[in-house]
Amino acid sequence: MDRTQRLTLLATGLGLFMILLDALIVNVALPDIQQAFGVGEAGLQWVVAAYSLGMAVAIMSAATLADLHGRRLWYVIGVAVFTTASAACGLAPSLDVLNVARGVQGVAAATVNVTSLALVSAAFPDPKEKARAIGIWTAIASVGTAIGPTLGGLLVEHVGWRSIFLVNVPVGVLVVWLTLSHVAESRDPRPRTLDGTGQLLFAATIGAFAYAVIEGPQAGWASPLIVALFAVAAIGIVVFVRAERASADPMMDVTLFRDATYALAIVTICAVLFAVYGMLLLTTQYLQNVRGCTPQTTGLMLLPFSLSLTIVSPLVGHLVGRIGARPPILGGLLL
């Protein structure tokens, strides 16, 4: 591994570290944000949900644009926008402003997510080196998961909830500098075009579904709005699949889902992330709102889970390079 590859790993790993940190650091601050703005649980949930919704809607478009116009370029744009939106969150005068800024963070996080991995893959063409590099990249990024709740608890208790967003600003500036100085540009070698119809259909479909799931518990699952949104999502997915199959250069090659291995891998990833992020969100709320723990104590109680993730990630990268991905995946899911 040469110097450029090491610095590419550092720059891309820090970018993912920042967006994972922000996805989790906010959890322990929710009770303080709730008290600061005087809102109930229904209003508070959008502090988390706006981030997820922005990421879900933008992630496919971000990947296509990066392939077309340069992954390093879009990585830098994503980090810069994320950093600016983080500052806006930290200075937000109202909950509405905070929620909008969180949505912008989510869109930028989607861009950082897809481009960081693409840059790592381009920097390590050898399959075995790539597996090891992705393990290291995951380990760097997983520090964000590891210290997110704990750092969030310490900052909220000793500095205030706004500090959990402002802490991203120096990290973002460092990532932009490292990327512009040391990371090589890369693009998809295949000639491509922007599938505008597919992009719009995907955003509308995912947006309608995500909004319905988020608002369903408050509005009522049988309310006209929620039923209409689910109908839009159902119709949208059918239209999207047909449009992508008819497109000469689709945003998403839906025929890949005919491959059982590919389809199962996607379902597995969704299930794991659903469980992990859902568990962390609910646990932080339970420990503070039900058990009466302080933010600092809550963060420390989540530390064993987070540290194990950080320790195991690079080891798995080495293991995948030696024995393949299947045994570690099965072992991890079983555990």
Side-chain angles (χ1 to χ4, degrees), residues 251-297:
M251 177 194 77
M252 180 189 297
D253 185 358
V254 294
T255 60
L256 287 172
F257 288 94
R258 295 174 181 170
D259 185 329
T261 302
Y262 176 84
L264 184 59
I266 295 296
V267 171
T268 301
I269 292 170
C270 287
V272 169
L273 293 180
F274 179 88
V276 170
Y277 283 98
M279 178 272 292
L280 288 171
L281 175 61
L282 293 175
T283 301
T284 53
Q285 295 304 289
Y286 169 74
L287 290 173
Q288 292 183 83
N289 292 339
V290 179
R291 297 294 295 272
C293 297
T294 65
Q296 179 174 302
T297 301

Side-chain angles (χ1 to χ4, degrees), residues 201-283:
L201 284 170
F202 180 85
T205 300
I206 296 299
F209 178 76
Y211 190 91
V213 171
I214 292 165
E215 283 295 306
Q218 280 71 43
W221 295 109
S223 67
L225 174 62
I226 301 304
V227 172
L229 287 170
F230 277 126
V232 168
I235 295 169
I237 192 65
V238 173
V239 176
F240 172 76
V241 169
R242 289 183 176 179
E244 294 303 274
R245 293 184 67 180
S247 174
D249 189 10
M251 177 194 77
M252 180 189 297
D253 185 358
V254 294
T255 60
L256 287 172
F257 288 94
R258 295 174 181 170
D259 185 329
T261 302
Y262 176 84
L264 184 59
I266 295 296
V267 171
T268 301
I269 292 170
C270 287
V272 169
L273 293 180
F274 179 88
V276 170
Y277 283 98
M279 178 272 292
L280 288 171
L281 175 61
L282 293 175
T283 301

Side-chain angles (χ1 to χ4, degrees), residues 18-85:
M18 187 168 62
I19 67 172
L20 289 178
L21 177 71
D22 211 73
L24 298 176
I25 198 173
V26 73
N27 290 347
V28 293
L30 290 177
D32 284 63
I33 295 173
Q34 184 177 14
Q35 184 177 7
F37 292 120
V39 297
E41 295 292 341
L44 188 68
Q45 71 171 345
W46 277 103
V47 177
V48 176
Y51 186 88
S52 303
L53 184 59
M55 181 179 283
V57 167
I59 197 161
M60 291 300 296
S61 298
T64 304
L65 290 169
D67 283 344
L68 283 170
H69 303 295
R71 292 156 181 162
R72 188 184 77 159
L73 170 65
W74 277 90
Y75 181 68
V76 169
I77 290 172
V79 172
V81 172
F82 187 89
T83 304
T84 304

